[in-house]
Amino acid sequence: GAGVSQSPSNKVTEKGKDVELRCDPISGHTALYWYRQSLGQGLEFLIYFQGNSAPDKSGLPSDRFSAERTGGSVSTLTIQRTQQEDSAVYLCASSPQWGGELFFGEGSRLTVL
Amino acid sequence: KNQVEQSPQSLIILEGKNCTLQCNYTVSPFSNLRWYKQDTGRGPVSLTIMTFSENTKSNGRYTATLDADTKQSSLHITASQLSDSASYICVVGAGNNRKLIWGLGTSLAVNP
């Protein structure tokens, strides 16, 4: 597709369950970002991948959060043992180069009951 | 501490009117400044990206200005349309790693 694709668009889960969120970046984009946006709040940086470099994980809020990017393309954000405070919209963005313009997906809305 | 502050927090204007949104930042070293538009329930969309040497940049009815000396930026919207109703977010790139510092946004409502 032409844009960044995220799935699922909506996910409702029970507290304590694990969830996986997927991001398909724009083809050829080397940089990939994950952000979290709680209701009415600004974007919170989670993790950043750039090519084959080690990811910048400085924004991950706890060790329950992890992400990987396979083959320099698709990325998966995993949240283990979900908590109610994890409820938010998780946004993925890709960029053609380091520090370049970001192209965002439509987000995955996570609701933890 | 690197920070980006936006004002006003929210704004209501009538269709056809102009408006200006403000962004003040304390980010060092400065790399670039971006404005994004975020419609409700959608991902942000880039409007402009400005580097240190750029004072003004336009994208249709949107014009962004940058004063690197005072560390201020503004986004001017001309002849507003109902579709301009959205959150407008100022983002500053910091340092050699170009870490992005996000503002909380200005929520704009354009009423008929």
Side-chain angles (χ1 to χ4, degrees):
Chain A
V4 177
S5 178
Q6 293 188 243
S7 61
S9 55
N10 279 287
K11 175 71 175 179
V12 180
T13 190
E14 294 179 348
K15 178 182 174 181
K17 300 288 188 182
D18 297 351
V19 296
E20 283 189 354
L21 308 176
R22 176 187 169 103
C23 173
D24 280 275
I26 294 172
S27 178
H29 281 194
T30 59
L32 186 147
Y33 302 73
W34 282 99
Y35 288 90
R36 178 169 71 174
Q37 188 172 32
S38 301
L39 187 64
Q41 300 299 309
L43 270 71
E44 175 188 4
F45 167 76
L46 297 177
I47 188 169
Y48 162 65
F49 296 90
Q50 170 59 42
N52 296 321
S53 302
D56 177 355
K57 304 180 181 180
S58 61
L60 294 178
S62 76
D63 58 8
R64 295 187 296 106
F65 288 73
S66 63
E68 62 178 19
R69 188 178 185 191
T70 54
S73 181
V74 172
S75 177
T76 302
L77 177 69
T78 300
I79 309 172
Q80 297 178 309
R81 305 180 301 282
T82 52
Q83 304 294 313
Q84 288 184 332
E85 60 263 29
D86 299 334
S87 296
V89 175
Y90 289 82
L91 289 162
C92 174
S94 69
S95 179
Q97 70 278 335
W98 183 40
E101 181 177 349
L102 268 61
F103 295 82
F104 281 86
E106 297 300 334
S108 292
R109 180 177 298 277
L110 174 66
T111 302
V112 182
L113 301 177
Chain B
K1 179 181 178 182
N2 287 330
Q3 277 188 313
V4 175
E5 295 183 347
Q6 294 187 241
S7 62
Q9 186 175 10
S10 62
L11 182 63
I12 301 173
I13 62 174
L14 293 177
E15 185 179 12
K17 297 297 185 182
N18 303 336
C19 68
T20 301
L21 314 180
Q22 300 292 339
C23 173
N24 295 340
Y25 60 92
T26 54
V27 175
S28 182
F30 174 90
S31 175
N32 55 58
L33 187 142
R34 311 158 185 234
W35 283 94
Y36 285 84
K37 177 187 179 188
Q38 186 176 24
D39 293 315
T40 301
R42 309 292 297 274
V45 174
S46 177
L47 295 176
T48 64
I49 300 177
M50 290 187 293
T51 59
F52 184 88
S53 60
E54 296 177 291
N55 299 120
T56 184
K57 201 161 192 177
S58 292
N59 178 359
R61 293 179 298 102
Y62 301 102
T63 299
T65 65
L66 173 63
D67 186 334
D69 292 331
T70 61
K71 298 188 177 180
Q72 295 180 326
S73 175
S74 66
L75 180 69
H76 185 75
I77 304 175
T78 303
S80 60
Q81 300 177 358
L82 298 179
S83 59
D84 292 333
S85 296
S87 178
Y88 292 84
I89 308 171
C90 177
V91 188
V92 179
N96 292 330
N97 64 5
R98 304 175 195 176
K99 185 177 178 66
L100 297 177
I101 314 299
W102 291 75
L104 294 180
T106 291
S107 178
L108 174 66
V110 180
N111 290 342

